[in-house]
């Protein structure tokens, strides 16, 4: 076997590392705009799903422009904050801030029947990683119009079912206020839940921790908008 | 044997008697994880094929200049760079599939097939045969993934590539999708069945003690 000097080994590895780093940096820079676009389209698809408008990657932007007529940011006192782009707000970063500094996005959609629905972002923890989604409320800011949930790595067939429409449909029509003033959120319960119960849905058998995470996520994110509901409900 | 028939053999051997999954039992974990649906199985198969082919080619081109003392590191750098490239390209062009594959694309780097081919073949052979060997092994891996993906999606979800293929009349007559096919253990059982069929047809694969 050929012998190589230490100098050769050092030079060889240095050149290799520099060449590889340059190539990868170049590729990452070139592909970044396309990747960002994909992430943006996915976000729009999720927002549309929460107002029960199914969108493909191709028509998501067109449908988003059609249905989402306004978006703005509010703070925890329910007042509008100017100068922040709602679409660009990262909920993960906002939730780690102190409550008063949080920027909370609201997307206003105009539905086919001319009424408004208000889409609010959610973010929480599942069993294996983060779960997130959007929830849309009718103009009474109490009744759920639609939801969309997504997850990073919940168990397929169990916790991952939160992403499926058969499960998400259970949330439609539920109410987050008990009477007009008491915020109760939505409970995700074990066993058979009376479909007439306005504040509870079935959990997923075998997906208890994901179900609990979902309940906590909905509660902790929707409660942030409490003042906003009081100010804006019609 | 002429060069071209040698190359053909290099390409075809991994499909059957030298198959990386069913004979050498390498690359099993990704085969279990990404085969719930056919589409991710195909994309994963093609990704691994690209990485094995080009890492074999590059290492073979560099083989006379790689100091033996750091050869594993050099191989890893080449494989890692290719895997990152594949990952970036998937994220840019087939975002939905790249999400389903999630960490497994990154884990191609730990796929034993790739390092195995680099050490066993590319370090000692000319670039072209090495490239063919890489394509062959990647394709041998892809074929098994596609077989498993096909079976699991058909029986588990009643669809292929997302299109429903089981007619509605079957469901009305009482047919049900087999939910167990979606679970990872079923991939292991399907691999086991493929290995069983293969070894019954080719008794020379059976170990004799």
């Amino acid at each position: 076997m050929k012998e190589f000097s230490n100098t050769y080994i050092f030079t060889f590895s240095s050149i290799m590392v520099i060449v590889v780093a340059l190539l990868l940096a170049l590729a990452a820079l070139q592909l970044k705009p396309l990747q960002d676009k994909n992430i943006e389209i996915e976000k729009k698809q999720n927002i549309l799903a929460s107002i029960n408008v199914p969108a493909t990657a191709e028509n998501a932007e067109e449908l988003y422009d059609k249905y989402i007529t306004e978006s703005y940011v509010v703070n925890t006192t329910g007042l509008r904050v100017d100068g922040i782009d709602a679409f660009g707000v990262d909920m993960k970063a906002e939730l780690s801030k102190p409550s008063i500094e949080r920027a909370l996005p609201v997307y206003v959609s105009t539905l086919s029947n001319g009424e408004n629905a208000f889409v609010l972002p959610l973010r929480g923890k599942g069993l294996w990683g983060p779960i997130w989604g959007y929830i849309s409320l009718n103009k009474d800011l109490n009744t759920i119009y639609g939801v969309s949930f997504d997850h990073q790595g919940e168990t397929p067939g169990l916790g991952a079912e939160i992403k499926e429409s058969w499960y998400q449909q259970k949330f439609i029509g539920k109410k987050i206020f008990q009477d007009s003033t008491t915020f109760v959120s939505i409970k995700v319960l074990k066993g058979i839940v009376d479909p007439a119960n306005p504040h509870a849905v079935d959990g997923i058998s075998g997906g208890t921790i994901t179900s609990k995470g979902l309940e906590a996520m909905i509660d902790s994110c929707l409660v942030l908008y409490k003042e906003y509901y009081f100010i804006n409900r019609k | 044997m002429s060069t071209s028939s040698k190359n053909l053999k290099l390409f075809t051997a991994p499909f059957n008697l030298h198959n990386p999954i069913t004979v050498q039992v390498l690359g099993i974990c990704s085969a279990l994880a990404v085969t719930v649906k056919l589409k991710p199985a195909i994309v994963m198969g093609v990704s691994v094929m690209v990485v094995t082919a080009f890492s074999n080619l590059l290492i073979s081109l560099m083989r006379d200049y790689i100091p033996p003392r750091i050869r594993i590191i050099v191989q890893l750098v080449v494989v890692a760079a290719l895997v990152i490239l594949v990952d970036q390209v998937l994220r840019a062009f087939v975002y939905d599939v790249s999400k389903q594959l999630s960490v497994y694309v990154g884990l191609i780097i730990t796929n034993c097939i790739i390092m195995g081919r680099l050490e066993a073949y590319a370090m000692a052979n000319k670039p072209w045969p090495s490239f063919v060997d890489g394509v062959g092994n990647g394709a041998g891996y892809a074929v098994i993934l596609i077989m498993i993906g096909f079976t699991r999606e058909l029986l588990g979800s009643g669809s292929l590539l997302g299109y429903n293929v089981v007619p509605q009349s079957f469901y009305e007559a009482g047919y049900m999708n087999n939910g167990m096919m979606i679970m990872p253990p079923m991939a292991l059982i399907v691999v086991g069945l493929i290995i069983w069929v293969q070894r019954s047809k080719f008794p020379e694969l059976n170990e004799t003690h």
Side-chain angles (χ1 to χ4, degrees), chain B residues 105-149:
Chain B
V105 172
L107 284 179
I108 293 177
I109 190 174
T110 62
N111 195 319
C112 322
I113 299 168
I114 295 164
M115 290 295 280
R117 290 330 291 169
L118 293 180
E119 271 291 280
Y121 201 87
M123 283 301 282
N125 287 282
K126 291 207 174 93
W128 178 242
S130 299
F131 183 76
V132 175
D133 179 79
V135 174
N137 274 283
Y141 169 88
V143 164
I144 302 294
L145 245 67
I146 290 169
M147 284 164 76
I148 308 169

Side-chain angles (χ1 to χ4, degrees), chain A residues 5-105:
Chain A
S5 68
N6 283 345
T7 327
Y8 178 86
I9 294 180
F10 273 116
T11 327
F12 183 91
S13 17
S14 315
I15 293 174
M16 179 182 69
V17 168
I18 291 167
V19 169
V20 168
L22 278 177
L23 276 175
L24 289 183
L26 193 71
L29 274 179
Q30 292 295 314
L31 296 171
K32 189 97 172 63
L34 283 167
Q35 294 168 353
D36 288 347
K37 191 83 193 156
N38 284 332
I39 293 167
E40 188 187 315
I41 287 176
E42 195 201 9
K43 191 168 175 182
K44 289 184 172 170
Q45 276 178 297
N46 287 341
I47 293 175
L48 286 168
S50 75
I51 50 166
N52 307 326
V53 176
T56 62
E58 285 75 36
N59 64 12
E61 298 208 284
E62 189 191 328
L63 288 173
Y64 183 87
D65 292 339
K66 183 177 164 198
Y67 284 100
I68 306 296
T69 39
E70 196 187 357
S71 64
Y72 48 84
V73 168
V74 297
N75 60 19
T76 41
T77 56
L79 301 173
R80 273 211 207 191
V81 182
D82 290 327
I84 303 176
D85 172 31
F87 195 78
V89 172
D90 176 14
M91 274 309 274
K92 188 184 172 191
E94 295 304 321
L95 290 177
S96 60
K97 287 182 190 168
S99 145
I100 193 69
E101 289 170 25
R102 285 178 193 159
L104 308 167

Side-chain angles (χ1 to χ4, degrees), chain A residues 31-210:
Chain A
L31 296 171
K32 189 97 172 63
L34 283 167
Q35 294 168 353
D36 288 347
K37 191 83 193 156
N38 284 332
I39 293 167
E40 188 187 315
I41 287 176
E42 195 201 9
K43 191 168 175 182
K44 289 184 172 170
Q45 276 178 297
N46 287 341
I47 293 175
L48 286 168
S50 75
I51 50 166
N52 307 326
V53 176
T56 62
E58 285 75 36
N59 64 12
E61 298 208 284
E62 189 191 328
L63 288 173
Y64 183 87
D65 292 339
K66 183 177 164 198
Y67 284 100
I68 306 296
T69 39
E70 196 187 357
S71 64
Y72 48 84
V73 168
V74 297
N75 60 19
T76 41
T77 56
L79 301 173
R80 273 211 207 191
V81 182
D82 290 327
I84 303 176
D85 172 31
F87 195 78
V89 172
D90 176 14
M91 274 309 274
K92 188 184 172 191
E94 295 304 321
L95 290 177
S96 60
K97 287 182 190 168
S99 145
I100 193 69
E101 289 170 25
R102 285 178 193 159
L104 308 167
V106 177
Y107 304 89
V108 184
S109 73
T110 310
L111 306 168
S112 318
N113 60 10
E115 293 203 349
N116 285 342
F118 298 83
V119 181
L120 311 174
L122 306 169
R123 184 162 180 109
K125 291 193 195 86
L127 171 60
W128 302 114
I131 53 177
W132 61 91
Y134 294 89
I135 198 159
S136 66
L137 301 175
N138 280 340
K139 64 178 179 196
D140 63 359
L141 289 172
N142 181 11
T143 316
I144 293 178
Y145 182 72
V147 293
S148 76
F149 303 128
D150 205 347
H151 62 91
Q152 194 176 56
E154 298 308 296
T155 320
L158 302 174
E161 294 291 297
I162 59 166
K163 205 185 162 181
E164 302 301 322
S165 64
W166 69 266
Y167 185 68
Q168 298 182 356
Q169 271 162 10
K170 289 173 189 266
F171 287 81
I172 297 175
K174 302 285 174 187
K175 293 184 190 302
I176 56 171
F177 279 91
Q178 197 165 30
D179 38 57
S180 57
T181 49
T182 320
F183 178 80
V184 289
S185 183
I186 304 291
K187 299 277 172 271
V188 181
L189 300 178
K190 266 189 183 180
I192 298 163
V193 174
D194 177 11
N197 183 340
H199 307 296
V201 291
D202 274 334
I204 297 161
S205 320
T208 307
I209 298 179
T210 312

Side-chain angles (χ1 to χ4, degrees), chain B residues 115-188:
Chain B
M115 290 295 280
R117 290 330 291 169
L118 293 180
E119 271 291 280
Y121 201 87
M123 283 301 282
N125 287 282
K126 291 207 174 93
W128 178 242
S130 299
F131 183 76
V132 175
D133 179 79
V135 174
N137 274 283
Y141 169 88
V143 164
I144 302 294
L145 245 67
I146 290 169
M147 284 164 76
I148 308 169
F150 179 89
T151 320
R152 289 180 76 193
E153 184 172 354
L154 182 65
L155 300 179
S157 315
S159 59
L160 286 175
L161 289 171
Y163 297 102
N164 281 328
V165 288
V166 175
Q168 194 56 38
S169 56
F170 275 48
Y171 290 107
E172 281 157 15
Y175 175 82
M176 274 170 80
N177 287 331
N178 184 349
M180 210 151 80
M181 272 292 170
I182 312 246
M183 310 299 279
M186 280 314 282
L188 198 64

Side-chain angles (χ1 to χ4, degrees), chain A residues 1-4 6 8-9 12-13 16 20 24 27-28 31 34-35 38-39 42 150 156 163, chain B residues 62 64-70 73-74 77 81 84-85 88-89 91-93 95 99 182-183:
Chain A
M1 203 180 268
K2 247 201 287 188
E3 274 301 311
F4 291 90
N6 283 345
Y8 178 86
I9 294 180
F12 183 91
S13 17
M16 179 182 69
V20 168
L24 289 183
L31 296 171
L34 283 167
Q35 294 168 353
N38 284 332
I39 293 167
E42 195 201 9
D150 205 347
K163 205 185 162 181
Chain B
M62 291 164 34
D64 292 333
Y65 309 100
I66 301 175
R69 266 193 283 169
I70 58 162
I73 300 171
V74 176
V77 170
I84 294 171
L85 273 181
Q88 296 277 336
V89 169
R91 264 188 226 183
F93 296 104
Y95 185 68
K99 264 183 61 189
I182 312 246
M183 310 299 279

